[in-house]
Amino acid sequence: MEWVRGDILGHGSFGTVSLAKPGSSRSSCHNIPELMAVKSCGVSSSASLLNEKEVLDGFKDCPEIIQCYGDGHSFENGEKLYNVFLEYASGGTLADKLNNSCDHRLPEDEVRRYTRGILRGL
């Protein structure tokens, strides 16, 4: 899959997460959105990220789980990277939401909604 890396969204435990857009061949990949996230790490430390991709592949079409669109390799700044293409969650993580609230708390109705979604995903 051709793609273009965008801004860095953050650093996860298994790699760096960036925005990504499909390249010019997007028309042949109808299931690939206009905007996605790509999680990348060096090939030498990619075992955990590869495992994450395999786990996500087991949850295809579950609306409560971030979708995986595939994986691939790239060479950037002289390093071979392993990349996993993921659904872009524009709202960020639940931890981001909590950290961005003024008192580091969420209203009870939001806690119920998030808990319900997590349990459905499980």
Side-chain angles (χ1 to χ4, degrees):
M1 168 189 340
E2 283 185 41
W3 59 283
V4 178
R5 186 181 303 277
D7 294 337
I8 291 177
L9 298 171
H11 300 278
S13 53
F14 301 143
T16 300
V17 181
S18 304
L19 278 175
K21 292 182 179 184
S24 58
S25 66
R26 182 181 185 279
S27 59
S28 63
C29 301
H30 299 292
N31 62 335
I32 304 298
E34 302 255 349
L35 194 58
M36 58 189 164
V38 60
K39 190 179 279 191
S40 305
C41 69
V43 169
S44 61
S45 58
S46 64
S48 294
L49 188 53
L50 181 58
N51 185 58
E52 180 178 345
K53 188 234 183 262
E54 289 173 1
V55 169
L56 288 172
D57 283 346
F59 292 101
K60 288 272 186 222
D61 302 319
C62 178
E64 286 79 24
I65 305 288
I66 292 288
Q67 294 298 296
C68 180
Y69 301 117
D71 61 347
H73 292 90
S74 63
F75 285 93
E76 299 176 37
N77 301 319
E79 182 181 16
K80 186 175 183 179
L81 299 178
Y82 175 64
N83 306 291
V84 177
F85 306 102
L86 304 167
E87 178 180 2
Y88 173 54
S90 61
T93 67
L94 186 55
D96 294 336
K97 186 143 182 91
L98 189 60
N99 289 332
N100 291 332
S101 68
C102 54
D103 59 358
H104 300 287
R105 303 173 104 195
L106 297 175
E108 188 176 329
D109 62 322
E110 284 187 43
V111 171
R112 277 196 302 270
R113 190 176 74 237
Y114 289 124
T115 301
R116 209 173 300 133
I118 291 168
L119 291 173
R120 271 186 261 166
L122 290 172

